[in-house]
Amino acid sequence: MEKLTLSELQDYQAEKFTKRIAFKKGDSVVFVLNFMPGQELPTHTHPNTDVFILALQGGGAVTVDGATSPLVQGEVLHLEGAEAFSYRNNGTEPASLYVMLTKVPSPEYAQNI
């Protein structure tokens, strides 16, 4: 068994959002994205991958294939790899997203940034 605490994965930096890898097993990776207010994840896709996102803390807006909707703490969403999406912390508090990718599209997706 492997066990982590959220505090190990929630790392907020003023200059850019952070990504902290929790687990990398086989073709899957689990990580936490951390955003200060105003920070955003640019539009991108995860080809041939299912993406599962849990809004752990805070809120923001998620844009999927050009349609924007709120994403608030406690909500969960599933994206197919071909769907282009982005996220922006448009709130006043830090926000964290718990993300799981099944079948990592390339090694760069499973690295801290």
Side-chain angles (χ1 to χ4, degrees):
M1 179 176 89
E2 294 179 68
K3 185 177 177 180
L4 297 169
T5 63
L6 282 178
S7 63
E8 294 174 77
L9 302 170
Q10 290 179 299
D11 177 18
Y12 302 101
Q13 295 183 13
E15 57 280 351
K16 64 179 180 120
F17 78 90
T18 64
K19 172 180 168 182
R20 297 294 175 252
I21 304 298
F23 304 105
K24 163 76 175 85
K25 301 294 175 192
D27 286 340
S28 298
V29 64
V30 174
F31 53 89
V32 174
L33 295 173
N34 303 290
F35 302 86
M36 292 297 289
Q39 292 177 340
E40 60 187 295
L41 178 68
T43 302
H44 66 290
T45 61
H46 293 276
N48 303 310
T49 304
D50 281 305
V51 181
F52 302 91
I53 300 173
L54 164 63
L56 283 175
Q57 177 178 324
V62 64
T63 302
V64 179
D65 290 339
T68 301
S69 62
L71 182 64
V72 298
Q73 185 171 324
E75 289 186 320
V76 181
L77 66 106
H78 167 255
L79 300 162
E80 294 181 3
E83 291 180 289
F85 73 98
S86 63
Y87 172 83
R88 179 176 176 78
N89 177 353
N90 58 9
T92 59
E93 300 294 324
S96 292
L97 303 177
Y98 181 91
V99 181
M100 182 173 67
L101 302 179
T102 59
K103 190 173 183 213
V104 180
S106 65
E108 326 51 89
Y109 284 92
Q111 295 177 359
N112 288 327
I113 59 170

PDB file of all heavy atoms in Angstrom, residues 26-51:
ATOM      1  N   GLY A  26       1.865   1.708 -14.079  1.00  0.00           N
ATOM      2  CA  GLY A  26       1.529   1.211 -15.409  1.00  0.00           C
ATOM      3  C   GLY A  26       1.217   2.357 -16.346  1.00  0.00           C
ATOM      4  O   GLY A  26       1.989   3.300 -16.473  1.00  0.00           O
ATOM      5  N   ASP A  27       0.054   2.301 -16.980  1.00  0.00           N
ATOM      6  CA  ASP A  27      -0.357   3.331 -17.935  1.00  0.00           C
ATOM      7  C   ASP A  27      -1.188   4.437 -17.301  1.00  0.00           C
ATOM      8  O   ASP A  27      -1.803   5.228 -18.013  1.00  0.00           O
ATOM      9  CB  ASP A  27      -1.174   2.694 -19.067  1.00  0.00           C
ATOM     10  CG  ASP A  27      -0.302   1.908 -20.031  1.00  0.00           C
ATOM     11  OD1 ASP A  27       0.917   2.146 -20.064  1.00  0.00           O
ATOM     12  OD2 ASP A  27      -0.845   1.047 -20.746  1.00  0.00           O
ATOM     13  N   SER A  28      -1.240   4.499 -15.971  1.00  0.00           N
ATOM     14  CA  SER A  28      -2.043   5.515 -15.296  1.00  0.00           C
ATOM     15  C   SER A  28      -1.177   6.418 -14.425  1.00  0.00           C
ATOM     16  O   SER A  28      -0.132   6.005 -13.937  1.00  0.00           O
ATOM     17  CB  SER A  28      -3.105   4.846 -14.415  1.00  0.00           C
ATOM     18  OG  SER A  28      -3.986   4.072 -15.200  1.00  0.00           O
ATOM     19  N   VAL A  29      -1.649   7.644 -14.236  1.00  0.00           N
ATOM     20  CA  VAL A  29      -0.969   8.585 -13.350  1.00  0.00           C
ATOM     21  C   VAL A  29      -2.027   9.394 -12.610  1.00  0.00           C
ATOM     22  O   VAL A  29      -3.082   9.712 -13.162  1.00  0.00           O
ATOM     23  CB  VAL A  29       0.016   9.508 -14.120  1.00  0.00           C
ATOM     24  CG1 VAL A  29      -0.694  10.403 -15.113  1.00  0.00           C
ATOM     25  CG2 VAL A  29       0.873  10.328 -13.170  1.00  0.00           C
ATOM     26  N   VAL A  30      -1.737   9.680 -11.345  1.00  0.00           N
ATOM     27  CA  VAL A  30      -2.614  10.496 -10.504  1.00  0.00           C
ATOM     28  C   VAL A  30      -1.779  11.665  -9.998  1.00  0.00           C
ATOM     29  O   VAL A  30      -0.638  11.479  -9.549  1.00  0.00           O
ATOM     30  CB  VAL A  30      -3.159   9.686  -9.307  1.00  0.00           C
ATOM     31  CG1 VAL A  30      -3.951  10.578  -8.363  1.00  0.00           C
ATOM     32  CG2 VAL A  30      -4.003   8.517  -9.793  1.00  0.00           C
ATOM     33  N   PHE A  31      -2.340  12.877 -10.094  1.00  0.00           N
ATOM     34  CA  PHE A  31      -1.613  14.057  -9.638  1.00  0.00           C
ATOM     35  C   PHE A  31      -2.575  15.129  -9.165  1.00  0.00           C
ATOM     36  O   PHE A  31      -3.782  15.043  -9.380  1.00  0.00           O
ATOM     37  CB  PHE A  31      -0.687  14.606 -10.739  1.00  0.00           C
ATOM     38  CG  PHE A  31      -1.353  14.876 -12.049  1.00  0.00           C
ATOM     39  CD1 PHE A  31      -1.934  16.101 -12.326  1.00  0.00           C
ATOM     40  CD2 PHE A  31      -1.389  13.891 -13.035  1.00  0.00           C
ATOM     41  CE1 PHE A  31      -2.536  16.354 -13.550  1.00  0.00           C
ATOM     42  CE2 PHE A  31      -1.976  14.134 -14.267  1.00  0.00           C
ATOM     43  CZ  PHE A  31      -2.557  15.371 -14.522  1.00  0.00           C
ATOM     44  N   VAL A  32      -2.012  16.144  -8.516  1.00  0.00           N
ATOM     45  CA  VAL A  32      -2.796  17.287  -8.065  1.00  0.00           C
ATOM     46  C   VAL A  32      -2.252  18.530  -8.754  1.00  0.00           C
ATOM     47  O   VAL A  32      -1.033  18.756  -8.767  1.00  0.00           O
ATOM     48  CB  VAL A  32      -2.744  17.440  -6.529  1.00  0.00           C
ATOM     49  CG1 VAL A  32      -3.448  18.717  -6.085  1.00  0.00           C
ATOM     50  CG2 VAL A  32      -3.372  16.223  -5.854  1.00  0.00           C
ATOM     51  N   LEU A  33      -3.163  19.298  -9.343  1.00  0.00           N
ATOM     52  CA  LEU A  33      -2.822  20.597  -9.928  1.00  0.00           C
ATOM     53  C   LEU A  33      -3.236  21.662  -8.925  1.00  0.00           C
ATOM     54  O   LEU A  33      -4.349  21.613  -8.381  1.00  0.00           O
ATOM     55  CB  LEU A  33      -3.571  20.812 -11.241  1.00  0.00           C
ATOM     56  CG  LEU A  33      -3.222  19.864 -12.386  1.00  0.00           C
ATOM     57  CD1 LEU A  33      -4.162  20.099 -13.565  1.00  0.00           C
ATOM     58  CD2 LEU A  33      -1.776  20.048 -12.810  1.00  0.00           C
ATOM     59  N   ASN A  34      -2.354  22.631  -8.692  1.00  0.00           N
ATOM     60  CA  ASN A  34      -2.585  23.669  -7.690  1.00  0.00           C
ATOM     61  C   ASN A  34      -2.505  25.036  -8.339  1.00  0.00           C
ATOM     62  O   ASN A  34      -1.534  25.340  -9.045  1.00  0.00           O
ATOM     63  CB  ASN A  34      -1.525  23.552  -6.596  1.00  0.00           C
ATOM     64  CG  ASN A  34      -1.528  22.186  -5.952  1.00  0.00           C
ATOM     65  OD1 ASN A  34      -2.446  21.834  -5.245  1.00  0.00           O
ATOM     66  ND2 ASN A  34      -0.497  21.396  -6.228  1.00  0.00           N
ATOM     67  N   PHE A  35      -3.522  25.867  -8.081  1.00  0.00           N
ATOM     68  CA  PHE A  35      -3.637  27.167  -8.732  1.00  0.00           C
ATOM     69  C   PHE A  35      -3.881  28.269  -7.706  1.00  0.00           C
ATOM     70  O   PHE A  35      -4.789  28.160  -6.884  1.00  0.00           O
ATOM     71  CB  PHE A  35      -4.826  27.185  -9.695  1.00  0.00           C
ATOM     72  CG  PHE A  35      -4.777  26.137 -10.761  1.00  0.00           C
ATOM     73  CD1 PHE A  35      -5.269  24.866 -10.532  1.00  0.00           C
ATOM     74  CD2 PHE A  35      -4.237  26.431 -12.005  1.00  0.00           C
ATOM     75  CE1 PHE A  35      -5.231  23.899 -11.518  1.00  0.00           C
ATOM     76  CE2 PHE A  35      -4.196  25.462 -13.002  1.00  0.00           C
ATOM     77  CZ  PHE A  35      -4.693  24.196 -12.753  1.00  0.00           C
ATOM     78  N   MET A  36      -3.125  29.331  -7.797  1.00  0.00           N
ATOM     79  CA  MET A  36      -3.431  30.547  -7.060  1.00  0.00           C
ATOM     80  C   MET A  36      -4.497  31.287  -7.878  1.00  0.00           C
ATOM     81  O   MET A  36      -4.674  31.010  -9.070  1.00  0.00           O
ATOM     82  CB  MET A  36      -2.176  31.406  -6.899  1.00  0.00           C
ATOM     83  CG  MET A  36      -1.127  30.788  -5.986  1.00  0.00           C
ATOM     84  SD  MET A  36      -1.697  30.600  -4.298  1.00  0.00           S
ATOM     85  CE  MET A  36      -1.724  32.309  -3.766  1.00  0.00           C
ATOM     86  N   PRO A  37      -5.206  32.240  -7.272  1.00  0.00           N
ATOM     87  CA  PRO A  37      -6.205  33.006  -8.033  1.00  0.00           C
ATOM     88  C   PRO A  37      -5.589  33.609  -9.303  1.00  0.00           C
ATOM     89  O   PRO A  37      -4.471  34.134  -9.279  1.00  0.00           O
ATOM     90  CB  PRO A  37      -6.629  34.093  -7.050  1.00  0.00           C
ATOM     91  CG  PRO A  37      -6.437  33.463  -5.709  1.00  0.00           C
ATOM     92  CD  PRO A  37      -5.183  32.633  -5.864  1.00  0.00           C
ATOM     93  N   GLY A  38      -6.316  33.470 -10.411  1.00  0.00           N
ATOM     94  CA  GLY A  38      -5.875  34.003 -11.690  1.00  0.00           C
ATOM     95  C   GLY A  38      -5.021  33.065 -12.519  1.00  0.00           C
ATOM     96  O   GLY A  38      -4.846  33.272 -13.716  1.00  0.00           O
ATOM     97  N   GLN A  39      -4.483  32.017 -11.921  1.00  0.00           N
ATOM     98  CA  GLN A  39      -3.650  31.080 -12.683  1.00  0.00           C
ATOM     99  C   GLN A  39      -4.531  30.139 -13.500  1.00  0.00           C
ATOM    100  O   GLN A  39      -5.657  29.838 -13.119  1.00  0.00           O
ATOM    101  CB  GLN A  39      -2.734  30.284 -11.755  1.00  0.00           C
ATOM    102  CG  GLN A  39      -1.678  31.150 -11.111  1.00  0.00           C
ATOM    103  CD  GLN A  39      -0.808  30.384 -10.127  1.00  0.00           C
ATOM    104  OE1 GLN A  39      -1.164  29.317  -9.626  1.00  0.00           O
ATOM    105  NE2 GLN A  39       0.354  30.958  -9.836  1.00  0.00           N
ATOM    106  N   GLU A  40      -3.968  29.673 -14.629  1.00  0.00           N
ATOM    107  CA  GLU A  40      -4.771  28.814 -15.488  1.00  0.00           C
ATOM    108  C   GLU A  40      -3.949  27.729 -16.152  1.00  0.00           C
ATOM    109  O   GLU A  40      -2.743  27.863 -16.333  1.00  0.00           O
ATOM    110  CB  GLU A  40      -5.510  29.632 -16.535  1.00  0.00           C
ATOM    111  CG  GLU A  40      -4.640  30.424 -17.466  1.00  0.00           C
ATOM    112  CD  GLU A  40      -5.481  31.335 -18.345  1.00  0.00           C
ATOM    113  OE1 GLU A  40      -6.262  30.830 -19.168  1.00  0.00           O
ATOM    114  OE2 GLU A  40      -5.342  32.556 -18.193  1.00  0.00           O
ATOM    115  N   LEU A  41      -4.640  26.669 -16.492  1.00  0.00           N
ATOM    116  CA  LEU A  41      -4.110  25.553 -17.258  1.00  0.00           C
ATOM    117  C   LEU A  41      -4.513  25.799 -18.704  1.00  0.00           C
ATOM    118  O   LEU A  41      -5.705  25.920 -18.993  1.00  0.00           O
ATOM    119  CB  LEU A  41      -4.725  24.246 -16.741  1.00  0.00           C
ATOM    120  CG  LEU A  41      -4.360  22.948 -17.428  1.00  0.00           C
ATOM    121  CD1 LEU A  41      -2.892  22.611 -17.165  1.00  0.00           C
ATOM    122  CD2 LEU A  41      -5.255  21.832 -16.915  1.00  0.00           C
ATOM    123  N   PRO A  42      -3.546  25.903 -19.624  1.00  0.00           N
ATOM    124  CA  PRO A  42      -3.913  26.197 -21.012  1.00  0.00           C
ATOM    125  C   PRO A  42      -4.716  25.066 -21.672  1.00  0.00           C
ATOM    126  O   PRO A  42      -4.665  23.924 -21.234  1.00  0.00           O
ATOM    127  CB  PRO A  42      -2.570  26.373 -21.718  1.00  0.00           C
ATOM    128  CG  PRO A  42      -1.508  26.184 -20.722  1.00  0.00           C
ATOM    129  CD  PRO A  42      -2.126  25.778 -19.422  1.00  0.00           C
ATOM    130  N   THR A  43      -5.399  25.404 -22.733  1.00  0.00           N
ATOM    131  CA  THR A  43      -6.174  24.426 -23.479  1.00  0.00           C
ATOM    132  C   THR A  43      -5.258  23.337 -24.023  1.00  0.00           C
ATOM    133  O   THR A  43      -4.212  23.616 -24.600  1.00  0.00           O
ATOM    134  CB  THR A  43      -6.919  25.110 -24.644  1.00  0.00           C
ATOM    135  OG1 THR A  43      -7.758  26.136 -24.100  1.00  0.00           O
ATOM    136  CG2 THR A  43      -7.763  24.122 -25.425  1.00  0.00           C
ATOM    137  N   HIS A  44      -5.674  22.087 -23.809  1.00  0.00           N
ATOM    138  CA  HIS A  44      -4.890  20.944 -24.287  1.00  0.00           C
ATOM    139  C   HIS A  44      -5.777  19.703 -24.340  1.00  0.00           C
ATOM    140  O   HIS A  44      -6.924  19.726 -23.893  1.00  0.00           O
ATOM    141  CB  HIS A  44      -3.672  20.701 -23.388  1.00  0.00           C
ATOM    142  CG  HIS A  44      -4.020  20.278 -21.998  1.00  0.00           C
ATOM    143  ND1 HIS A  44      -4.602  21.112 -21.074  1.00  0.00           N
ATOM    144  CD2 HIS A  44      -3.880  19.074 -21.385  1.00  0.00           C
ATOM    145  CE1 HIS A  44      -4.797  20.466 -19.944  1.00  0.00           C
ATOM    146  NE2 HIS A  44      -4.373  19.212 -20.105  1.00  0.00           N
ATOM    147  N   THR A  45      -5.232  18.637 -24.884  1.00  0.00           N
ATOM    148  CA  THR A  45      -5.924  17.350 -24.957  1.00  0.00           C
ATOM    149  C   THR A  45      -5.013  16.271 -24.376  1.00  0.00           C
ATOM    150  O   THR A  45      -3.821  16.494 -24.151  1.00  0.00           O
ATOM    151  CB  THR A  45      -6.283  16.971 -26.405  1.00  0.00           C
ATOM    152  OG1 THR A  45      -5.074  16.849 -27.162  1.00  0.00           O
ATOM    153  CG2 THR A  45      -7.209  17.998 -27.044  1.00  0.00           C
ATOM    154  N   HIS A  46      -5.584  15.101 -24.159  1.00  0.00           N
ATOM    155  CA  HIS A  46      -4.842  13.914 -23.716  1.00  0.00           C
ATOM    156  C   HIS A  46      -5.244  12.773 -24.649  1.00  0.00           C
ATOM    157  O   HIS A  46      -6.132  11.983 -24.307  1.00  0.00           O
ATOM    158  CB  HIS A  46      -5.180  13.559 -22.268  1.00  0.00           C
ATOM    159  CG  HIS A  46      -4.724  14.564 -21.282  1.00  0.00           C
ATOM    160  ND1 HIS A  46      -3.447  14.575 -20.780  1.00  0.00           N
ATOM    161  CD2 HIS A  46      -5.358  15.611 -20.701  1.00  0.00           C
ATOM    162  CE1 HIS A  46      -3.318  15.572 -19.922  1.00  0.00           C
ATOM    163  NE2 HIS A  46      -4.473  16.225 -19.867  1.00  0.00           N
ATOM    164  N   PRO A  47      -4.634  12.691 -25.817  1.00  0.00           N
ATOM    165  CA  PRO A  47      -5.054  11.690 -26.812  1.00  0.00           C
ATOM    166  C   PRO A  47      -5.090  10.265 -26.266  1.00  0.00           C
ATOM    167  O   PRO A  47      -4.195   9.849 -25.527  1.00  0.00           O
ATOM    168  CB  PRO A  47      -3.994  11.819 -27.911  1.00  0.00           C
ATOM    169  CG  PRO A  47      -3.411  13.183 -27.717  1.00  0.00           C
ATOM    170  CD  PRO A  47      -3.492  13.465 -26.251  1.00  0.00           C
ATOM    171  N   ASN A  48      -6.136   9.548 -26.611  1.00  0.00           N
ATOM    172  CA  ASN A  48      -6.311   8.135 -26.250  1.00  0.00           C
ATOM    173  C   ASN A  48      -6.282   7.889 -24.747  1.00  0.00           C
ATOM    174  O   ASN A  48      -5.824   6.840 -24.295  1.00  0.00           O
ATOM    175  CB  ASN A  48      -5.243   7.273 -26.939  1.00  0.00           C
ATOM    176  CG  ASN A  48      -5.271   7.433 -28.423  1.00  0.00           C
ATOM    177  OD1 ASN A  48      -6.325   7.336 -29.044  1.00  0.00           O
ATOM    178  ND2 ASN A  48      -4.129   7.713 -29.019  1.00  0.00           N
ATOM    179  N   THR A  49      -6.765   8.862 -23.971  1.00  0.00           N
ATOM    180  CA  THR A  49      -6.724   8.789 -22.517  1.00  0.00           C
ATOM    181  C   THR A  49      -8.066   9.228 -21.946  1.00  0.00           C
ATOM    182  O   THR A  49      -8.702  10.111 -22.481  1.00  0.00           O
ATOM    183  CB  THR A  49      -5.629   9.742 -21.978  1.00  0.00           C
ATOM    184  OG1 THR A  49      -4.390   9.411 -22.582  1.00  0.00           O
ATOM    185  CG2 THR A  49      -5.491   9.655 -20.484  1.00  0.00           C
ATOM    186  N   ASP A  50      -8.476   8.602 -20.857  1.00  0.00           N
ATOM    187  CA  ASP A  50      -9.610   9.110 -20.093  1.00  0.00           C
ATOM    188  C   ASP A  50      -9.063   9.980 -18.977  1.00  0.00           C
ATOM    189  O   ASP A  50      -8.071   9.628 -18.322  1.00  0.00           O
ATOM    190  CB  ASP A  50     -10.439   7.968 -19.495  1.00  0.00           C
ATOM    191  CG  ASP A  50     -11.354   7.334 -20.521  1.00  0.00           C
ATOM    192  OD1 ASP A  50     -12.147   8.084 -21.130  1.00  0.00           O
ATOM    193  OD2 ASP A  50     -11.282   6.116 -20.710  1.00  0.00           O
ATOM    194  N   VAL A  51      -9.699  11.118 -18.741  1.00  0.00           N
ATOM    195  CA  VAL A  51      -9.273  12.068 -17.722  1.00  0.00           C
ATOM    196  C   VAL A  51     -10.401  12.211 -16.704  1.00  0.00           C
ATOM    197  O   VAL A  51     -11.545  12.471 -17.076  1.00  0.00           O
ATOM    198  CB  VAL A  51      -8.966  13.455 -18.346  1.00  0.00           C
ATOM    199  CG1 VAL A  51      -8.499  14.431 -17.279  1.00  0.00           C
ATOM    200  CG2 VAL A  51      -7.945  13.334 -19.464  1.00  0.00           C
TER     201      VAL A  51
END
